[in-house]
PDB file of all heavy atoms in Angstrom:
ATOM      1  N   LEU A  24    -144.203 -85.215 -27.350  1.00 53.00           N
ATOM      2  CA  LEU A  24    -142.913 -84.750 -26.876  1.00 53.00           C
ATOM      3  C   LEU A  24    -141.946 -84.561 -28.033  1.00 53.00           C
ATOM      4  O   LEU A  24    -141.280 -83.533 -28.123  1.00 53.00           O
ATOM      5  CB  LEU A  24    -142.320 -85.733 -25.859  1.00 53.00           C
ATOM      6  CG  LEU A  24    -142.682 -85.486 -24.405  1.00 53.00           C
ATOM      7  CD1 LEU A  24    -141.997 -86.509 -23.553  1.00 53.00           C
ATOM      8  CD2 LEU A  24    -142.288 -84.090 -23.984  1.00 53.00           C
ATOM      9  N   ALA A  44    -137.910 -65.651 -16.076  1.00 93.00           N
ATOM     10  CA  ALA A  44    -139.022 -66.169 -15.268  1.00 93.00           C
ATOM     11  C   ALA A  44    -139.367 -65.066 -14.285  1.00 93.00           C
ATOM     12  O   ALA A  44    -138.496 -64.524 -13.624  1.00 93.00           O
ATOM     13  CB  ALA A  44    -138.567 -67.422 -14.482  1.00 93.00           C
ATOM     14  N   MET A 114    -130.127 -64.368 -20.181  1.00 95.00           N
ATOM     15  CA  MET A 114    -131.260 -64.312 -19.260  1.00 95.00           C
ATOM     16  C   MET A 114    -131.333 -62.980 -18.539  1.00 95.00           C
ATOM     17  O   MET A 114    -130.321 -62.334 -18.298  1.00 95.00           O
ATOM     18  CB  MET A 114    -131.111 -65.407 -18.183  1.00 95.00           C
ATOM     19  CG  MET A 114    -131.226 -66.804 -18.697  1.00 95.00           C
ATOM     20  SD  MET A 114    -132.907 -67.387 -18.737  1.00 95.00           S
ATOM     21  CE  MET A 114    -133.147 -67.825 -17.014  1.00 95.00           C
ATOM     22  N   TYR A 165    -128.762 -52.088   2.598  1.00 90.00           N
ATOM     23  CA  TYR A 165    -130.041 -51.314   2.504  1.00 90.00           C
ATOM     24  C   TYR A 165    -130.224 -50.395   3.675  1.00 90.00           C
ATOM     25  O   TYR A 165    -130.474 -49.204   3.513  1.00 90.00           O
ATOM     26  CB  TYR A 165    -131.244 -52.284   2.417  1.00 90.00           C
ATOM     27  CG  TYR A 165    -131.597 -52.686   1.003  1.00 90.00           C
ATOM     28  CD1 TYR A 165    -130.647 -53.265   0.182  1.00 90.00           C
ATOM     29  CD2 TYR A 165    -132.877 -52.479   0.506  1.00 90.00           C
ATOM     30  CE1 TYR A 165    -130.973 -53.671  -1.097  1.00 90.00           C
ATOM     31  CE2 TYR A 165    -133.185 -52.870  -0.809  1.00 90.00           C
ATOM     32  CZ  TYR A 165    -132.253 -53.465  -1.592  1.00 90.00           C
ATOM     33  OH  TYR A 165    -132.567 -53.842  -2.851  1.00 90.00           O
ATOM     34  N   ALA A 173    -129.301 -42.901  12.933  1.00 91.00           N
ATOM     35  CA  ALA A 173    -129.936 -42.904  14.255  1.00 91.00           C
ATOM     36  C   ALA A 173    -128.917 -42.608  15.322  1.00 91.00           C
ATOM     37  O   ALA A 173    -129.185 -41.821  16.266  1.00 91.00           O
ATOM     38  CB  ALA A 173    -130.612 -44.236  14.507  1.00 91.00           C
ATOM     39  N   ALA A 205    -125.108 -52.620  14.075  1.00 93.00           N
ATOM     40  CA  ALA A 205    -125.284 -52.536  15.524  1.00 93.00           C
ATOM     41  C   ALA A 205    -123.990 -52.855  16.243  1.00 93.00           C
ATOM     42  O   ALA A 205    -123.627 -52.189  17.241  1.00 93.00           O
ATOM     43  CB  ALA A 205    -126.372 -53.530  15.959  1.00 93.00           C
ATOM     44  N   ALA A 226    -148.740 -57.602  14.803  1.00 92.00           N
ATOM     45  CA  ALA A 226    -149.251 -56.970  16.009  1.00 92.00           C
ATOM     46  C   ALA A 226    -148.425 -57.363  17.247  1.00 92.00           C
ATOM     47  O   ALA A 226    -148.179 -56.536  18.124  1.00 92.00           O
ATOM     48  CB  ALA A 226    -150.709 -57.266  16.208  1.00 92.00           C
ATOM     49  N   ASP A 238    -135.291 -47.005  20.217  1.00 94.00           N
ATOM     50  CA  ASP A 238    -135.023 -45.745  19.495  1.00 94.00           C
ATOM     51  C   ASP A 238    -135.334 -45.893  17.993  1.00 94.00           C
ATOM     52  O   ASP A 238    -135.660 -44.902  17.345  1.00 94.00           O
ATOM     53  CB  ASP A 238    -133.561 -45.343  19.662  1.00 94.00           C
ATOM     54  CG  ASP A 238    -133.224 -45.119  21.136  1.00 94.00           C
ATOM     55  OD1 ASP A 238    -134.005 -44.386  21.794  1.00 94.00           O
ATOM     56  OD2 ASP A 238    -132.239 -45.693  21.622  1.00 94.00           O
ATOM     57  N   ARG A 254    -149.872 -49.952   8.370  1.00 93.00           N
ATOM     58  CA  ARG A 254    -151.293 -50.102   8.764  1.00 93.00           C
ATOM     59  C   ARG A 254    -151.411 -50.343  10.264  1.00 93.00           C
ATOM     60  O   ARG A 254    -152.146 -49.671  10.965  1.00 93.00           O
ATOM     61  CB  ARG A 254    -151.895 -51.292   8.017  1.00 93.00           C
ATOM     62  CG  ARG A 254    -153.349 -51.559   8.351  1.00 93.00           C
ATOM     63  CD  ARG A 254    -153.975 -52.565   7.359  1.00 93.00           C
ATOM     64  NE  ARG A 254    -153.240 -53.799   7.186  1.00 93.00           N
ATOM     65  CZ  ARG A 254    -153.328 -54.834   8.045  1.00 93.00           C
ATOM     66  NH1 ARG A 254    -154.109 -54.775   9.090  1.00 93.00           N
ATOM     67  NH2 ARG A 254    -152.648 -55.937   7.843  1.00 93.00           N
ATOM     68  N   ILE A 256    -149.022 -49.992  12.684  1.00 93.00           N
ATOM     69  CA  ILE A 256    -148.411 -48.967  13.523  1.00 93.00           C
ATOM     70  C   ILE A 256    -149.416 -47.818  13.749  1.00 93.00           C
ATOM     71  O   ILE A 256    -149.578 -47.315  14.870  1.00 93.00           O
ATOM     72  CB  ILE A 256    -147.122 -48.431  12.910  1.00 93.00           C
ATOM     73  CG1 ILE A 256    -146.000 -49.476  13.046  1.00 93.00           C
ATOM     74  CG2 ILE A 256    -146.674 -47.102  13.549  1.00 93.00           C
ATOM     75  CD1 ILE A 256    -144.758 -49.135  12.303  1.00 93.00           C
ATOM     76  N   SER A 257    -150.138 -47.465  12.674  1.00 92.00           N
ATOM     77  CA  SER A 257    -151.088 -46.362  12.826  1.00 92.00           C
ATOM     78  C   SER A 257    -152.319 -46.828  13.635  1.00 92.00           C
ATOM     79  O   SER A 257    -152.863 -46.049  14.429  1.00 92.00           O
ATOM     80  CB  SER A 257    -151.470 -45.792  11.489  1.00 92.00           C
ATOM     81  OG  SER A 257    -152.108 -46.791  10.724  1.00 92.00           O
ATOM     82  N   LYS A 278    -149.029 -43.131  -1.282  1.00 85.00           N
ATOM     83  CA  LYS A 278    -150.353 -43.066  -1.905  1.00 85.00           C
ATOM     84  C   LYS A 278    -151.405 -43.828  -1.117  1.00 85.00           C
ATOM     85  O   LYS A 278    -152.485 -43.340  -0.820  1.00 85.00           O
ATOM     86  CB  LYS A 278    -150.294 -43.675  -3.333  1.00 85.00           C
ATOM     87  CG  LYS A 278    -149.982 -42.691  -4.411  1.00 85.00           C
ATOM     88  CD  LYS A 278    -151.148 -42.666  -5.412  1.00 85.00           C
ATOM     89  CE  LYS A 278    -150.938 -41.525  -6.396  1.00 85.00           C
ATOM     90  NZ  LYS A 278    -149.800 -41.780  -7.273  1.00 85.00           N
ATOM     91  N   GLN A 279    -151.022 -45.069  -0.744  1.00 87.00           N
ATOM     92  CA  GLN A 279    -151.983 -45.970  -0.121  1.00 87.00           C
ATOM     93  C   GLN A 279    -152.361 -45.542   1.281  1.00 87.00           C
ATOM     94  O   GLN A 279    -153.496 -45.708   1.702  1.00 87.00           O
ATOM     95  CB  GLN A 279    -151.405 -47.401  -0.104  1.00 87.00           C
ATOM     96  CG  GLN A 279    -151.282 -47.971  -1.477  1.00 87.00           C
ATOM     97  CD  GLN A 279    -151.741 -49.397  -1.518  1.00 87.00           C
ATOM     98  OE1 GLN A 279    -152.504 -49.829  -0.675  1.00 87.00           O
ATOM     99  NE2 GLN A 279    -151.293 -50.154  -2.509  1.00 87.00           N
ATOM    100  N   SER A 330    -135.145 -51.799 -15.907  1.00 95.00           N
ATOM    101  CA  SER A 330    -134.866 -51.123 -17.176  1.00 95.00           C
ATOM    102  C   SER A 330    -133.377 -51.013 -17.401  1.00 95.00           C
ATOM    103  O   SER A 330    -132.873 -51.211 -18.503  1.00 95.00           O
ATOM    104  CB  SER A 330    -135.505 -49.739 -17.206  1.00 95.00           C
ATOM    105  OG  SER A 330    -136.893 -49.819 -17.159  1.00 95.00           O
ATOM    106  N   GLN A 361    -122.847 -45.133 -17.254  1.00 92.00           N
ATOM    107  CA  GLN A 361    -123.810 -44.407 -16.481  1.00 92.00           C
ATOM    108  C   GLN A 361    -125.195 -44.593 -17.133  1.00 92.00           C
ATOM    109  O   GLN A 361    -125.337 -44.505 -18.346  1.00 92.00           O
ATOM    110  CB  GLN A 361    -123.524 -42.933 -16.382  1.00 92.00           C
ATOM    111  CG  GLN A 361    -124.408 -42.255 -15.374  1.00 92.00           C
ATOM    112  CD  GLN A 361    -124.080 -40.779 -15.197  1.00 92.00           C
ATOM    113  OE1 GLN A 361    -124.527 -39.948 -15.970  1.00 92.00           O
ATOM    114  NE2 GLN A 361    -123.325 -40.452 -14.154  1.00 92.00           N
ATOM    115  N   ILE A 367    -122.946 -48.023 -13.230  1.00 94.00           N
ATOM    116  CA  ILE A 367    -122.907 -49.484 -13.143  1.00 94.00           C
ATOM    117  C   ILE A 367    -121.513 -49.975 -13.459  1.00 94.00           C
ATOM    118  O   ILE A 367    -120.918 -49.672 -14.519  1.00 94.00           O
ATOM    119  CB  ILE A 367    -123.940 -50.130 -14.099  1.00 94.00           C
ATOM    120  CG1 ILE A 367    -125.373 -49.739 -13.658  1.00 94.00           C
ATOM    121  CG2 ILE A 367    -123.800 -51.632 -14.082  1.00 94.00           C
ATOM    122  CD1 ILE A 367    -126.442 -50.165 -14.604  1.00 94.00           C
ATOM    123  N   LYS A 401    -125.263 -35.740  -0.653  1.00 82.00           N
ATOM    124  CA  LYS A 401    -125.013 -35.221  -2.021  1.00 82.00           C
ATOM    125  C   LYS A 401    -126.320 -34.999  -2.766  1.00 82.00           C
ATOM    126  O   LYS A 401    -126.472 -34.072  -3.567  1.00 82.00           O
ATOM    127  CB  LYS A 401    -124.147 -36.272  -2.790  1.00 82.00           C
ATOM    128  CG  LYS A 401    -123.725 -35.793  -4.153  1.00 82.00           C
ATOM    129  CD  LYS A 401    -122.844 -36.811  -4.826  1.00 82.00           C
ATOM    130  CE  LYS A 401    -122.749 -36.513  -6.299  1.00 82.00           C
ATOM    131  NZ  LYS A 401    -122.187 -37.647  -7.079  1.00 82.00           N
ATOM    132  N   PRO A 412    -142.904 -37.302  15.459  1.00 91.00           N
ATOM    133  CA  PRO A 412    -143.817 -36.831  16.541  1.00 91.00           C
ATOM    134  C   PRO A 412    -144.734 -37.983  17.013  1.00 91.00           C
ATOM    135  O   PRO A 412    -145.023 -38.861  16.253  1.00 91.00           O
ATOM    136  CB  PRO A 412    -144.604 -35.715  15.868  1.00 91.00           C
ATOM    137  CG  PRO A 412    -144.338 -35.827  14.429  1.00 91.00           C
ATOM    138  CD  PRO A 412    -143.079 -36.562  14.221  1.00 91.00           C
ATOM    139  N   GLU A 416    -149.730 -36.193  19.041  1.00 87.00           N
ATOM    140  CA  GLU A 416    -149.474 -34.825  18.561  1.00 87.00           C
ATOM    141  C   GLU A 416    -149.702 -34.668  17.041  1.00 87.00           C
ATOM    142  O   GLU A 416    -149.551 -33.568  16.530  1.00 87.00           O
ATOM    143  CB  GLU A 416    -148.019 -34.459  18.885  1.00 87.00           C
ATOM    144  CG  GLU A 416    -147.773 -34.340  20.382  1.00 87.00           C
ATOM    145  CD  GLU A 416    -146.304 -34.541  20.709  1.00 87.00           C
ATOM    146  OE1 GLU A 416    -145.427 -34.367  19.848  1.00 87.00           O
ATOM    147  OE2 GLU A 416    -145.998 -34.884  21.878  1.00 87.00           O
TER     148      GLU A 416
END
Side-chain angles (χ1 to χ4, degrees):
Chain A
L24 269 182
M114 293 272 281
Y165 272 56
D238 299 311
R254 180 168 53 82
I256 286 172
S257 61
K278 268 240 172 68
Q279 294 223 21
S330 294
Q361 189 178 83
I367 296 173
K401 187 178 165 194
E416 293 156 22

